[in-house]
């Protein structure tokens, strides 16, 4: 059939083109459609058919940002923004002086940059080390649920295979690309969360029984996750899915979900919701997990930490029942939080047609009577005149502040399953909430130092958009609150870009070198060096530095071992790998298996320090290539490392 005759039946052409598979990571189908558009006007018009472009749009983008127009135009518009977002990320990776301006623009782009950066945070890595980031990538892929998050309740897991194969090439900065993309996403989330949290604690407070109070409670607790750098945009979407599934369950068991129906039973409804929650894994934490730090944050207690705390279970209960048409709020009862639920048109007083639901003890004493609550308050010594307020629904801002305070109180509980980054992010989230909620408090300034140290060590892109623009801008509105000006002063100090440049001089080894310790035999990786030992005198005396043949005046190297331990090593104890073959032809070599061990045990440190890893299995060589920051601090080391990788096979250091 000729092209002319084929084009005379556009439905047939559309049907053929509709079989082009949509992929998040492979543009082959999109390129085919674009080629059709450029072939001739008639085919071009057909190739722009809405039904052809919608699948390609939605497989790539989770955030629509209110764009209008046909799907082809939306797709092209978003891809142009993707190009800009990736260009800004490239500047962040390669040019430290452009980082503030680039991250500020990304924050302003907001949702329009999110999906592109999310893909960069999951960029391709060599097959030999893919498992290092497998868990992290899975969490990113499953942030938005099509179902009800079955994978978090023992169901089938979504490994992302439905998105199609990833045909993207491995970039020459794959370590840094992932790390800086992740940093940018976290900064964007925190900047947005500061604004969200400020709304919780500003303006007129809605009545505790109102739907608006429940909405603010949901947004405020969700902002805690945002302040940790988590993607909060999908939390509401996922709770929508959970509410629909809960409604279907209730109806299947004969429980009415229509609060205006004459057969609606509030007690049966509440019990049914709690039963469904338990069936989905939303239940009280066991004693050993009651103090799990991640149990305070929605992005975790709706996934990996469903066995969780009273506040978190109440949050889920309130989110579900308000979506099903009821009124609900948390109750700030001393000890632990429970929920208040009422019909949408019950009386003006909170007691009218309401129930107190102890979601945390859903398996024992679900409903709490007014008499029981009053007796508990009496035993706690609460004056009778204050008891009614404590038994009723609480203001959202009060409960969000209580949640943040709970996080601060459990910080001393050491959870070895958490990374130092996660613990720091949790402290950052709670301290920032405290500053927003109580800037006038006498002890507010004590949080500033903690925030500064966390940002400096873990979240370097936050200085300008989160601290200087969002948080300082919020706190210095009141000239009587000195905490805002204290924060501004420290932010200005953080922004001073001072880097000590280390000329190599007589330094023999280089950053990125993999070596064997001459005395203790472990394999290590050089992170940096000093031209002579800079440790304190006590350490020098303890380890016997002065007894070394070259003493303390030789270069010393900051290193990590394969086991993830950090050490400070004298130059004379470093044996570069690979070694020259001995008389038996044996040789100490480096390969991908060693690189894998370094990454498994020290991913955070390596991500900050290096851009990629080059491995020559045949020659037994490996080189961790310095990042832009590291190369700026040790400017000669990159060339030395490159020369090492290109030495002839029979030449050894």
């Amino acid at each position: 059939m000729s092209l002319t005759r084929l084009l005379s039946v556009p439905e047939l052409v559309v049907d053929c083109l509709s079989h082009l598979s949509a992929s998040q990571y492979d543009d082959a189908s999109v390129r085919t459609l674009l080629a059709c558009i450029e072939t001739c006007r008639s085919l071009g018009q057909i190739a722009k058919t809405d039904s052809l472009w919608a699948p390609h749009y939605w497989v790539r983008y989770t955030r629509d940002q209110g764009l209008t127009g046909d799907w082809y135009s939306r797709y092209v518009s978003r891809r142009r923004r993707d190009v800009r977002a990736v260009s800004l990320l490239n500047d962040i990776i390669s040019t430290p002086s452009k980082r503030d301006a680039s991250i500020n623009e990304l924050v302003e782009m907001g949702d329009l940059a999110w999906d592109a950066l999310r893909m960069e945070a999951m960029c391709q890595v060599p097959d030999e080390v893919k498992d290092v980031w497998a868990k992290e990538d899975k969490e990113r892929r499953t942030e938005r649920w099509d179902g009800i998050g079955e994978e978090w309740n023992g169901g089938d897991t979504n490994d992302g295979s439905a998105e199609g194969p990833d045909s993207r090439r491995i970039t020459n900065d794959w370590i840094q690309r992932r790390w800086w993309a992740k940093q940018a996403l976290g900064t964007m989330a925190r900047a947005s969360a500061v604004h969200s949290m400020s709304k919780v604690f500003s303006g007129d407070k809605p009545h505790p029984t109102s739907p608006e109070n429940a909405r603010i409670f949901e947004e405020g607790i969700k902002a805690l996750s945002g302040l940790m750098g988590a993607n909060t945009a999908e939390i509401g979407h996922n709770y929508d899915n959970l509410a629909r599934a809960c409604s279907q369950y209730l109806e299947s068991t004969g429980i009415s979900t229509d609060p205006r129906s004459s057969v609606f039973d509030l007690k049966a409804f509440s019990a049914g919701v709690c039963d469904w929650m338990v069936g989905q894994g939303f239940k009280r934490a066991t004693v050993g997990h009651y103090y799990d730090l991640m149990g305070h944050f929605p992005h975790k207690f709706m996934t990996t930490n469903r066995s969780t705390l009273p506040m978190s279970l109440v949050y889920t209960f309130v989110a579900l029942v308000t979506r099903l048409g009821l009124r609900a709020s948390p109750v700030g009862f001393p000890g632990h939080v429970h929920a208040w639920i009422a019909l949408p048109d019950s009386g003006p007083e909170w007691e009218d047609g309401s129930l107190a639901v102890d979601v945390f003890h859903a398996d024992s004493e679900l409903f709490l009577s007014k008499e029981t609550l009053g007796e508990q308050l009496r035993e706690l010594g609460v004056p009778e005149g204050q008891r009614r307020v404590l038994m009723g629904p609480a203001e959202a801002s009060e409960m969000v502040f209580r949640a943040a305070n709970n996080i601060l109180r459990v910080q001393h509980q050491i959870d070895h399953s958490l990374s130092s980054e996660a613990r720091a992010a949790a402290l950052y989230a709670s301290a920032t909430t405290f500053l927003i909620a109580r800037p006038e408090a006498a002890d507010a300034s004590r949080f500033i130092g903690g925030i500064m140290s966390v940002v400096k060590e873990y979240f370097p892109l936050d200085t300008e958009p989160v601290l200087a623009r969002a948080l300082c801008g919020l706190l210095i509105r009141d000239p009587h609150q000195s905490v805002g000006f204290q924060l501004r002063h420290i932010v200005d100090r953080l922004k001073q870009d001072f880097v000590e440049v280390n000329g190599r001089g007589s330094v023999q080894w280089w950053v990125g070198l993999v070596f064997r310790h001459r005395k203790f035999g472990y394999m290590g990786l050089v992170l940096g060096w000093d031209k002579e030992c800079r440790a304190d005198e006590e350490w020098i005396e303890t380890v016997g530095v002065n007894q070394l043949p070259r003493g303390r005046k030789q270069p010393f190297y900051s290193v990590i071992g394969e086991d993830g331990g950090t050490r400070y090593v004298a130059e004379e104890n470093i044996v570069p790998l690979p070694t020259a073959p001995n008389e038996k032809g044996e040789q100490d070599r480096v390969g991908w298996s060693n690189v894998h061990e370094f990454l498994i045990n020290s991913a955070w440190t390596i991500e900050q320090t290096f851009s990629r890893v080059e491995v020559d299995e045949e020659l037994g060589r490996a080189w961790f290539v310095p990042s832009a920051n590291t190369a700026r601090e040790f400017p000669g080391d990159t060339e030395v490392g490159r020369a090492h990788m290109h030495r002839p096979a029979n030449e050894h250091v």
Side-chain angles (χ1 to χ4, degrees):
M1 181 183 292
S2 68
L3 178 60
T4 302
R5 291 186 62 190
L6 181 63
L7 294 178
S8 67
V9 190
E11 296 83 1
L12 180 59
V13 179
V14 169
D15 181 67
C16 292
L17 294 177
S18 68
H19 291 283
L20 292 171
S21 59
S23 171
Q24 186 172 179
Y25 305 117
D26 189 340
D27 285 338
S29 295
V30 170
R31 286 195 295 269
T32 299
L33 287 173
L34 292 174
C36 291
I37 290 172
E38 294 173 359
T39 299
C40 66
R41 181 178 298 178
S42 299
L43 181 56
Q45 289 301 316
I46 296 172
K48 290 182 180 180
T49 300
D50 248 19
S51 61
L52 296 176
W53 285 95
H56 297 284
Y57 185 95
W58 286 117
V59 77
R60 190 176 183 92
Y61 302 112
T62 60
R63 303 187 180 196
D64 192 31
Q65 191 66 9
L67 293 178
T68 58
D70 60 86
W71 287 111
Y72 166 73
S73 298
R74 292 192 205 187
Y75 184 89
V76 171
S77 177
R78 288 299 296 270
R79 288 304 293 263
R80 286 173 178 160
R81 287 174 169 85
D82 288 354
V83 170
R84 180 57 183 164
V86 173
S87 174
L88 292 168
L89 176 63
N90 290 339
D91 285 342
I92 288 172
I93 294 170
S94 63
T95 314
S97 62
K98 293 184 178 180
R99 282 179 185 155
D100 279 353
S102 297
I103 189 59
N104 283 337
E105 186 172 341
L106 285 171
V107 168
E108 290 169 3
M109 290 177 71
D111 286 353
L112 293 175
W114 186 275
D115 290 303
L117 292 177
R118 174 180 167 272
M119 289 179 65
E120 295 299 301
M122 298 187 293
C123 72
Q124 282 280 58
V125 301
D127 290 341
E128 293 86 350
V129 294
K130 276 188 174 179
D131 65 305
V132 174
W133 290 279
K135 180 180 178 182
E136 182 179 299
D137 287 354
K138 179 198 168 185
E139 289 181 355
R140 290 199 185 279
R141 289 191 179 100
T142 55
E143 287 173 340
R144 182 182 180 90
W145 306 339
D146 292 326
I148 56 173
E150 295 90 342
E151 60 268 31
W152 306 114
N153 191 37
D156 293 335
T157 60
N158 175 13
D159 61 3
S161 58
E163 298 170 339
D166 192 341
S167 62
R168 295 176 296 172
R169 67 179 181 84
I170 299 175
T171 63
N172 63 3
D173 56 3
W174 49 272
I175 293 179
Q176 282 275 284
R177 182 162 297 275
R178 278 178 164 263
W179 193 75
W180 282 113
K182 182 172 65 175
Q183 287 291 317
L185 289 169
T187 296
M188 291 164 65
R190 283 185 287 273
S192 176
V194 168
H195 292 297
S196 296
M197 194 64 82
S198 70
K199 294 177 182 177
V200 173
F201 296 101
S202 63
D204 296 331
K205 302 294 190 294
H207 195 277
T209 64
S210 68
E212 180 65 8
N213 188 70
R215 187 193 67 79
I216 292 176
F217 171 62
E218 182 173 336
E219 291 300 309
I221 299 295
K222 189 165 67 175
L224 287 173
S225 280
L227 289 171
M228 275 200 74
N231 176 9
T232 62
E234 309 304 343
I235 291 177
H237 165 85
N238 294 338
Y239 270 114
D240 291 343
N241 285 356
L242 290 172
R244 280 192 292 271
C246 181
S247 177
Q248 292 168 4
Y249 166 81
L250 295 175
E251 291 170 358
S252 71
T253 57
I255 298 174
S256 173
T257 58
D258 181 2
R260 290 177 172 79
S261 168
S262 60
V263 298
F264 183 81
D265 185 328
L266 185 60
K267 182 171 282 191
F269 174 86
S270 301
V273 170
C274 289
D275 287 343
W276 182 84
M277 285 175 58
V278 171
Q280 294 300 314
F282 294 102
K283 54 190 176 184
R284 64 175 170 179
T286 58
V287 174
H289 293 281
Y290 190 83
Y291 294 103
D292 283 0
L293 193 55
M294 292 299 100
H296 296 269
F297 299 93
H299 71 291
K300 289 298 184 182
F301 66 65
M302 70 187 307
T303 55
T304 56
N305 289 62
R306 287 191 174 187
S307 294
T308 189
L309 315 171
M311 180 78 78
S312 304
L313 291 173
V314 167
Y315 178 92
T316 294
F317 180 84
V318 170
L320 293 175
V321 301
T322 52
R323 281 166 169 78
L324 297 179
L326 281 296
R327 289 188 296 154
S329 282
V331 177
F333 199 78
H336 78 253
V337 178
H338 61 265
W340 169 88
I341 184 172
L343 295 170
D345 54 357
S346 56
E349 300 298 327
W350 65 259
E351 296 99 325
D352 297 335
S354 69
L355 293 172
V357 183
D358 190 354
V359 189
F360 189 68
H361 290 119
D363 58 347
S364 54
E365 188 178 5
L366 178 58
F367 299 106
L368 303 170
S369 68
K370 186 176 180 181
E371 292 72 26
T372 299
L373 294 173
E375 180 60 23
Q376 290 178 10
L377 292 174
R378 187 190 66 78
E379 292 175 356
L380 290 171
V382 177
E384 186 174 356
Q386 299 177 15
R387 294 174 194 171
R388 182 177 181 274
V389 173
L390 292 174
M391 289 190 291
E395 289 184 353
S397 58
E398 173 192 332
M399 300 311 296
V400 173
F401 182 77
R402 178 168 170 171
N405 206 36
N406 288 343
I407 296 168
L408 288 174
R409 288 165 57 189
V410 300
Q411 281 287 330
H412 67 280
Q413 300 284 339
I414 303 299
D415 184 351
H416 295 289
S417 66
L418 283 182
S419 66
S420 58
E421 176 195 6
R423 289 194 296 271
L427 172 62
Y428 187 9
S430 54
T432 301
T433 302
F434 190 97
L435 282 181
I436 294 171
R438 304 284 193 274
E440 76 287 352
D443 59 347
S445 60
R446 72 185 175 95
F447 293 109
I448 293 178
I451 289 174
M452 291 299 104
S453 61
V454 166
V455 168
K456 185 175 182 179
E457 183 170 357
Y458 294 100
F459 309 119
L461 294 180
D462 277 25
T463 305
E464 178 63 23
V466 179
L467 300 185
R469 294 195 174 195
L471 193 54
C472 281
L474 184 67
L475 295 177
I476 63 176
R477 290 175 186 171
D478 184 350
H480 300 292
Q481 303 298 343
S482 62
V483 67
F485 295 97
Q486 293 177 43
L487 182 61
R488 176 80 258 182
H489 174 69
I490 297 179
V491 166
D492 289 341
R493 287 171 52 193
L494 265 182
K495 291 171 67 176
Q496 294 174 0
D497 187 23
F498 173 76
V499 175
E500 182 180 354
V501 177
N502 295 281
R504 287 189 56 78
S506 61
V507 174
Q508 188 172 7
W509 313 127
W510 57 91
V511 174
L513 169 70
V514 181
F515 68 93
R516 182 75 66 185
H517 194 283
R518 189 181 303 277
K519 181 177 179 181
F520 299 118
Y522 63 80
M523 187 176 287
L525 168 64
V526 174
L527 303 176
W529 45 259
D530 300 313
K531 289 187 176 179
E532 60 182 53
C533 184
R534 288 190 177 180
D536 59 61
E537 288 298 326
E538 182 180 355
W539 185 87
I540 289 173
E541 184 67 28
T542 300
V543 303
V545 170
N546 292 325
Q547 282 69 56
L548 292 171
R550 293 172 59 188
R552 67 167 69 187
K553 294 298 183 180
Q554 63 180 306
F556 270 70
Y557 297 77
S558 298
V559 309
I560 51 172
E562 270 190 307
D563 61 358
T566 58
R567 299 168 175 89
Y568 197 44
V569 181
E571 186 171 81
E572 65 186 64
N573 283 326
I574 287 180
V575 180
L577 298 179
T579 59
N582 60 21
E583 61 275 6
K584 296 181 180 180
E586 298 169 337
Q587 187 181 26
D588 198 354
R589 302 160 61 88
V590 190
W592 275 112
S593 61
N594 306 113
V595 170
H596 183 273
E597 285 302 302
F598 280 117
L599 285 168
I600 281 288
N601 293 314
S602 305
W604 176 260
T605 301
I606 290 172
E607 284 176 330
Q608 293 181 80
T609 312
F610 301 104
S611 183
R612 66 181 185 278
V613 188
E614 294 183 6
V615 178
D616 187 329
E617 289 275 9
E618 183 179 349
L619 297 180
R621 295 176 184 171
W623 174 41
F624 286 73
V625 182
S627 67
N629 272 10
T630 308
R632 185 168 60 151
E633 188 176 353
F634 302 96
D637 286 35
T638 300
E639 287 304 316
V640 179
R642 183 178 293 112
H644 166 67
M645 290 299 290
H646 291 90
R647 281 191 176 90
N650 60 352
E651 184 179 321
H652 301 278
V653 181

